[in-house]
Amino acid sequence: MRKIKFKKVRKTQSNPLEYTGKHKQFQSQLQLFLYDDVIFSEDGEFLIENFKKIDQSKNNWLNLHGLNDIELIERIGSYFKIDHFILSDILNTTRRTKVEEFSNTLFFNIKSLLPTEHSDNINVEQISFLLKDSVLISFQEKRSDFFTHIRERIRSHSGIVRSKKVDYLLYLLLDAIMENFYITIENEEDKVEQLIVLSKTSSNPEILVNIEKHRDNFNFLKRSIIPLRDSLLAIKSLKEDESFSIIEPETYNYFSRLYQKSLELLEQIESDMGILESASNFFFSSQAHKMNEIMKTLTVISAIFIPMTFIVGVYGMNFENMPELKYENGYYIVISIMFLIGVLMVFHFKKRKWF
């Protein structure tokens, strides 16, 4: 789990740009998709010197893989007049999901979550978007296949993506990222189902450790989705701002769908956390029940031997005036009485269904 660290240092100069993520082995690479309802072009190795190829009369999707080339990001910021603090948020992967609107530019920062293969951990990647005029810029920490199907839709002119503005493309990209939340939650639910079965059949304390691990994962998912929900709600509120026209009025309905999806995700997480709580309670109840069964068995055995112990104690005092000590068959008589008492008590406890 990532933690935010704060260092109390007074600086006389503004903070330099620095990538804080863990994917530092990926080289920065630009892609440009230029399209409208009629034409389409793709540049898989777009160079910063070719910004003149960006045609403001058409839709432009500029995608950056890898955030290690700080100079490249600064040049992108300079060309599109992006404020320094926005560039800092793009590179700082500890920032929470948020949306900001300034100078007719929309900035959206989101966390993409996916389960780690053969592990209970969750992979986190920060993806940022800048929507300005007819240009959408996406910043990814590493190359991934989140948007492969969207690229194919643009190439093949499938659906309405090429007939819409880049605000609709932003909706598609956010929707693809939110699908990762569904995949992650479904993966967690499969593991939780296994834990529930184990909690009913095994008393291994490792089960409780795994339950707490998945509870932490669900809490992490919840903390990731709540700011996403708030950001999508903020986009809905921009509809009433007549001065902000970068998003088409009909596109707000699509963002409303994303907002509803975020609510569904939160409801599902709440339900899953309730199931985990039930599994934890069942595990403790099962352990307590087994302990009660053990204690009941020991109590029954102790109760059977209490009168026998009393008899042994009485005849172990060896007083001279105890006539039974002189009987020739006294030992056999006492043993028979003790055995009879034991049998009667076992029969009585069995009849009362105490074991």
Side-chain angles (χ1 to χ4, degrees), residues 74-286:
E74 286 181 327
R75 294 181 65 180
I76 293 175
S78 175
Y79 182 85
F80 290 100
K81 297 181 175 57
I82 303 171
D83 289 342
H84 183 275
F85 75 93
I86 293 296
L87 297 179
S88 178
D89 286 345
I90 292 172
L91 294 170
N92 190 344
T93 59
T94 62
R95 291 286 187 262
R96 74 196 298 265
T97 296
K98 67 176 181 179
V99 62
E100 290 184 343
E101 176 265 323
F102 58 98
S103 303
N104 208 34
T105 300
L106 185 71
F107 171 67
F108 204 113
N109 193 28
I110 188 174
K111 297 290 189 294
S112 176
L113 308 182
L114 277 175
T116 304
E117 192 174 358
H118 307 303
S119 173
D120 290 334
N121 297 325
I122 296 177
N123 277 326
V124 184
E125 180 186 349
Q126 178 170 286
I127 302 177
S128 303
F129 300 100
L130 277 168
L131 180 63
K132 186 172 184 178
D133 300 326
S134 61
V135 180
L136 175 65
I137 311 174
S138 54
F139 300 85
Q140 297 182 247
E141 292 189 68
K142 61 184 180 67
R143 183 176 293 275
S144 57
D145 57 355
F146 302 158
F147 310 137
T148 301
H149 64 291
I150 299 176
R151 294 187 180 95
E152 289 301 322
R153 288 171 65 176
I154 295 175
R155 294 184 184 112
S156 61
H157 203 330
S158 176
I160 61 174
V161 58
R162 283 179 48 179
S163 61
K164 292 285 188 178
K165 300 295 184 181
V166 286
D167 55 347
Y168 180 77
L169 176 61
L170 174 61
Y171 154 73
L172 290 178
L173 298 179
L174 291 175
D175 185 57
I177 294 174
M178 291 187 70
E179 288 299 320
N180 294 340
F181 284 96
Y182 284 100
I183 294 173
T184 305
I185 291 176
E186 183 179 354
N187 181 75
E188 289 292 315
E189 288 175 342
D190 292 340
K191 294 180 179 179
V192 167
E193 289 181 2
Q194 297 175 7
L195 283 176
I196 292 175
V197 174
L198 288 175
S199 67
K200 296 178 180 179
T201 58
S202 174
S203 59
N204 189 345
E206 189 68 23
I207 295 175
L208 193 60
V209 175
N210 290 332
I211 288 176
E212 292 303 315
K213 171 62 178 176
H214 290 289
R215 196 196 311 275
D216 290 340
N217 286 347
F218 278 122
N219 279 322
F220 180 70
L221 282 165
K222 186 177 180 180
R223 291 197 306 272
S224 299
I225 296 174
I226 287 177
L228 174 59
R229 176 202 62 188
D230 297 340
S231 299
L232 293 170
L233 182 61
I235 289 182
K236 287 178 59 181
S237 66
L238 290 175
K239 187 176 182 179
E240 302 173 358
D241 186 1
E242 296 180 356
S243 63
F244 187 77
S245 59
I246 195 169
I247 297 180
E248 297 290 324
E250 61 270 16
T251 309
Y252 283 104
N253 295 328
Y254 297 107
F255 287 102
S256 296
R257 295 180 185 178
L258 296 182
Y259 175 71
Q260 292 299 323
K261 279 190 174 183
S262 67
L263 297 180
E264 293 175 2
L265 288 169
L266 288 174
E267 290 175 358
Q268 187 61 43
I269 289 175
E270 290 292 343
S271 174
D272 292 333
M273 291 183 70
I275 294 174
L276 264 183
E277 186 68 27
S278 299
S280 179
N281 293 336
F282 186 89
F283 180 81
F284 283 119
S285 298
S286 177

